[in-house]
Amino acid sequence: LELVLLPYLHAEVVWCQEEPENMGAWSFVQPRLAQLLKELKTERAEPVYAGRRASASPATGYAHIHQQEQADLIK
């Protein structure tokens, strides 16, 4: 990952996932990615999360709301 990020030291690093914030890999990846960005002395030392808000359920249960959330996430 270090080799991939080296050409982009001034870029904003965004972690995007379909799962809610408290599910999926974000909680595992965030501290490790933040440490790597700090070690690389990037302009923006903290990764940004882009995804669904924390939730007790991985989906709303309503197809039309899920589709809207998905569309918003892709934007």
Side-chain angles (χ1 to χ4, degrees):
L1 186 54
E2 180 178 335
L3 294 175
V4 171
L5 291 174
L6 275 174
Y8 306 101
L9 296 179
H10 301 289
E12 179 178 58
V13 175
V14 178
W15 179 268
C16 184
Q17 68 180 30
E18 289 184 297
E19 297 86 4
E21 188 173 3
N22 58 321
M23 299 178 190
W26 173 244
S27 61
F28 177 81
V29 168
Q30 188 277 331
R32 290 157 180 82
L33 189 51
Q35 182 62 37
L36 177 59
L37 295 175
K38 182 189 269 186
E39 289 172 6
L40 292 174
K41 297 183 170 75
T42 59
E43 191 172 299
R44 299 173 182 173
E46 285 294 322
V48 175
Y49 172 79
R52 292 183 169 88
R53 293 181 306 218
S55 174
S57 175
T60 67
Y62 296 100
H64 68 282
I65 294 174
H66 177 76
Q67 290 168 350
Q68 184 59 52
E69 286 180 343
Q70 185 70 16
D72 292 343
L73 185 58
I74 298 301
K75 284 182 192 175

